[in-house]
Amino acid sequence: MFAKQFMLTALAAGLVATPGTRAAADFADGLVGGLIGGAVSGVIVNESAKSRERNRARTTTHAPRKTYKAPVNTVERQQIREEQTSLNYFGFPAGTPDGVRGRNTRNAAAQFQAMMGYPATGYLADYERQFLISSYYRAQSSGAATAQLIAERGQGTRGLLLAYRDEAVGVPQTLAAQPAPAAAEQPPVTAAVPEQAEAEQPKLGLAALPNLMSSGGEGPSLASHCNQISLLTNSNGGFVTEASLTDPRFALNEQFCLARTYAIAEGETLAASLKGVTPAQLDEQCRAFGPAMRDYVAALSLEPKDQVISDVRNFLLESGQSPAQLAGTAKICLSVGYRIDNMDIALGSGLLLTALGEEVYGEMMGHHLNEGFGTTRRPDLALAWYKGAVDAVEHGAEPVFAPGNSGRTALIRKAAFPSRGDGAKDGVEKVQPASALPTFNAE
């Protein structure tokens, strides 16, 4: 009994002692644990032990050896590796994904740009990179649907890029195999946030009755939404900046999709260090994460931020895992959730990270509430999550989404709080709790 109380007290102290800072989860020391199962934790611990044995063996030998200097793993190198992996997948040979923008990478990028109608410079603009990488992750997560679309297009994996582009601008998929219309014939694209694509209305009758109680946590596809946002960014000539801001909601959507891409990349990097664990095994464990956090995800649409965080922290105290283990597991599952388009997994992971003191991840809760992906759309409740994330970065927390963009935090503050920029926005769309229950008008 005393031991259990001591463990809970130590974990609670760890949660309180690190608000606003990133939990330093070090995979090499086996700090990432599986919240739902022991497979991930066991592998990491074993690998950590092996690594320490190898290090001890090196320090006890005096035989001369060559000095190896590991390459610097900067954010820029990681971005280039993502570009190279994506280019290779879509049939543009960029060579080994080593994070170096050499001749092969530039040639591959130019081929991609030429096919998509961009200027073939060999250096991807932000919106070109976003479309390429998000298309890659969408293709990877869609399984049989990807294979079917490739077969329909008849252009190999390159056809996927055209299909995703056509979908984003509203070209029906039945025309997927036909050549894309000329630029002058395509409908004009504006900076307004795209509404969710509406399916063709069936004829009146039993088939017209919606099934609102289906299981599986299905909802609007964030991957598809981000493809549409990417196309609009492309048509506008680049991302919205603080100086060019005219449509706050669209600017926040751009940053939402950008943060999603970084979250996927971060989790993929961490997962790559796990030896002997397959992606399928990670997906399986993270799928169990959704049901475990479902009640807390549901509370996002109904309760203020402080109450939600308090409830999640009480849950953490009962988990038996250290904060560092929980943070590492959550980062991997956040990546998995976005990669497979499962909002329960993504939201549960983001909630856990925020409750652990990594306030910068609260930005994702703000985006989800602002747009209604995995939650009821509650722009009023989103404000506290945005403010917590922005304040954390401005007070020295390390940014995890587009860390090289120094103006991103100011842009999010200005877009989320256009009146005063301090969390007291006037004119916010107020949604009463009762609106969580849908109302339909049949005409």
Side-chain angles (χ1 to χ4, degrees):
M1 182 65 181
F2 176 77
K4 179 178 181 181
Q5 292 177 343
F6 179 78
M7 179 188 72
L8 295 181
T9 302
L11 178 55
L15 293 175
V16 174
T18 58
T21 60
R22 300 189 63 193
D26 186 351
F27 272 59
D29 291 330
L31 295 181
V32 178
L35 177 61
I36 308 304
V40 176
S41 297
V43 170
I44 298 170
V45 171
N46 290 338
E47 287 300 315
S48 176
K50 293 178 182 177
S51 177
R52 286 193 292 268
E53 289 295 332
R54 288 193 293 268
N55 290 338
R56 280 197 292 268
R58 292 193 187 101
T59 58
T60 56
T61 180
H62 300 284
R65 61 180 184 273
K66 295 182 179 179
T67 301
Y68 171 72
K69 184 177 181 181
V72 177
N73 187 19
T74 64
V75 173
E76 182 181 5
R77 289 180 69 95
Q78 176 61 26
Q79 291 177 341
I80 295 174
R81 276 193 287 269
E82 285 186 312
E83 292 177 23
Q84 292 168 327
T85 300
S86 302
L87 288 167
N88 286 334
Y89 175 80
F90 288 115
F92 306 105
T96 303
D98 55 7
V100 178
R101 198 186 303 279
R103 179 181 301 175
N104 289 340
T105 301
R106 295 195 301 272
N107 289 341
Q111 293 175 37
F112 161 72
Q113 291 171 317
M115 191 193 80
M116 299 302 298
Y118 306 139
T121 64
Y123 295 88
L124 300 182
D126 287 342
Y127 56 89
E128 297 170 354
R129 180 185 303 107
Q130 171 73 3
F131 175 72
L132 172 67
I133 294 174
S134 63
S135 296
Y136 167 73
Y137 285 122
R138 180 180 179 185
Q140 289 292 299
S141 63
S142 298
T146 297
Q148 181 179 355
L149 191 56
I150 291 174
E152 290 176 356
R153 278 280 173 174
Q155 298 169 287
T157 52
R158 293 189 181 189
L160 293 172
L161 293 170
L162 301 177
Y164 297 155
R165 179 199 65 187
D166 292 349
E167 176 187 300
V169 297
V171 177
Q173 287 300 310
T174 54
L175 303 179
Q178 299 181 10
E185 300 175 353
Q186 295 193 11
V189 183
T190 67
V193 176
E195 298 294 333
Q196 298 297 330
E198 296 182 0
E200 182 180 355
Q201 297 297 321
K203 295 181 180 180
L204 294 178
L206 292 178
L209 295 177
N211 178 9
L212 302 180
M213 305 303 294
S214 60
S215 61
E218 295 181 357
S221 168
L222 179 57
S224 177
H225 176 76
C226 286
N227 278 329
Q228 296 181 52
I229 292 295
S230 177
L231 263 292
L232 292 177
T233 301
N234 182 359
S235 70
N236 295 333
F239 282 94
V240 174
T241 64
E242 184 182 6
S244 65
L245 176 65
T246 58
D247 185 341
R249 187 178 174 190
F250 179 74
L252 289 173
N253 269 274
E254 283 190 324
Q255 297 307 314
F256 185 8
C257 295
L258 183 64
R260 170 184 173 272
T261 299
Y262 271 86
I264 292 174
E266 180 185 33
E268 293 282 351
T269 301
L270 297 178
S273 68
L274 303 180
K275 305 300 182 181
V277 180
T278 67
Q281 290 172 329
L282 290 177
D283 289 2
E284 181 180 359
Q285 289 202 43
C286 288
R287 285 182 188 279
F289 191 82
M293 297 292 293
R294 184 167 295 160
D295 290 345
Y296 307 103
V297 171
L300 271 172
S301 304
L302 303 170
E303 299 176 355
K305 174 190 172 186
D306 289 345
Q307 182 61 51
V308 175
I309 291 297
S310 176
D311 292 342
V312 174
R313 282 179 175 166
N314 289 335
F315 167 75
L316 295 179
L317 290 172
E318 300 174 358
S319 68
Q321 299 281 345
S322 73
Q325 287 177 315
L326 292 168
T329 299
K331 288 172 184 176
I332 290 179
C333 288
L334 180 66
S335 172
V336 170
Y338 283 135
R339 177 170 56 79
I340 66 177
D341 221 18
N342 186 311
M343 297 301 98
D344 282 346
I345 297 175
L347 281 165
S349 302
L351 271 175
L352 192 151
L353 285 165
T354 309
L356 285 167
E358 301 202 33
E359 281 279 353
V360 288
Y361 287 93
E363 176 193 327
M364 305 308 294
M365 309 305 106
H367 290 313
H368 280 272
L369 287 165
N370 202 47
E371 290 303 317
F373 285 95
T375 68
T376 301
R377 185 164 183 260
R378 294 293 303 267
D380 55 326
L381 293 179
L383 295 178
W385 296 93
Y386 280 133
K387 188 174 187 303
V390 169
D391 286 351
V393 174
E394 290 178 345
H395 286 84
E398 182 181 353
V400 293
F401 309 126
N405 185 350
S406 59
R408 184 172 185 271
T409 301
L411 170 63
I412 292 176
R413 182 179 287 282
K414 185 176 180 180
F417 311 107
S419 292
R420 298 198 310 228
D422 60 357
K425 178 182 176 183
D426 298 325
V428 177
E429 179 184 349
K430 296 295 183 181
V431 184
Q432 299 301 321
S435 68
L437 300 176
T439 301
F440 300 92
N441 294 322
E443 299 181 357

